[in-house]
């Protein structure tokens, strides 16, 4: 992917899983994993490229600026347009792939677990304290 495509990809991913209670997708390296996957898989790379090529004209038409210069709210609008596009369109394929890959990579990262009150897998320790009520999760 070239520099412009990378900026668009990062902007897209950042809106799908932004910084909130937990660090956002970019802070946990989701973009790097997706880029690595696209380096190893030409079909995946082509899906990304074709979709990213389609969202830039959408951004220009709707907001008069390139996609990577849009605000988070504007990017969200473009993502909604992509989600509602025809199922076999480039922008819809981009949406479907990035949504799935962003969320699966993001929630696999331990840094994202705080917002879910998830402390990690119970193994190898087991379910200690299983007879007690769960403690509340402090998200502050």
């Amino acid at each position: 992917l070239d520099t412009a495509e990378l900026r668009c990809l990062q902007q897209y991913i950042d809106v799908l899983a932004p910084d909130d209670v937990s660090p956002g997708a970019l802070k946990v390296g989701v973009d790097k994993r997706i880029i690595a996957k696209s380096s190893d898989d030409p079909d995946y790379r082509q899906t990304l490229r074709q979709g990213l090529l389609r969202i830039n004209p959408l951004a220009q038409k709707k907001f008069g600026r390139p996609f990577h210069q849009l605000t988070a709210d504007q990017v969200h609008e473009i993502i909604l347009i992509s989600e509602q596009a025809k199922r076999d369109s480039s922008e819809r394929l981009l949406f479907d792939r990035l949504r799935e890959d962003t969320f699966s990579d993001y929630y696999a990262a331990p840094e994202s677990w705080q917002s879910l009150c998830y402390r990690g897998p119970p193994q190898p320790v087991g379910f200690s304290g299983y007879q007690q009520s769960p403690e509340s999760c402090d998200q502050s």
Side-chain angles (χ1 to χ4, degrees), residues 51-63 65 67:
L52 293 169
L53 282 173
R54 289 285 303 136
I55 63 169
N56 231 5
L58 287 172
Q60 286 285 359
K61 183 177 179 182
K62 187 152 179 74
F63 299 109
R65 294 188 302 176
F67 183 78

Side-chain angles (χ1 to χ4, degrees), residues 9 26 28-29 32-33 39 50 55 58-59 70 90 129-130 133:
L9 177 68
L26 296 180
V28 301
K32 291 172 183 57
R33 287 190 286 282
S39 295
Q50 289 177 344
I55 63 169
L58 287 172
L70 300 180
S90 296
Y130 68 91
S133 298

Side-chain angles (χ1 to χ4, degrees), residues 33 35 40 43 60 78 80 90 99-100 104 117-118 120 137:
R33 287 190 286 282
I35 291 165
D40 295 338
D43 291 335
Q60 286 285 359
I78 299 297
L80 286 175
S90 296
R99 180 187 58 186
E100 180 180 333
S104 64
C117 297
Y118 179 65
C137 176

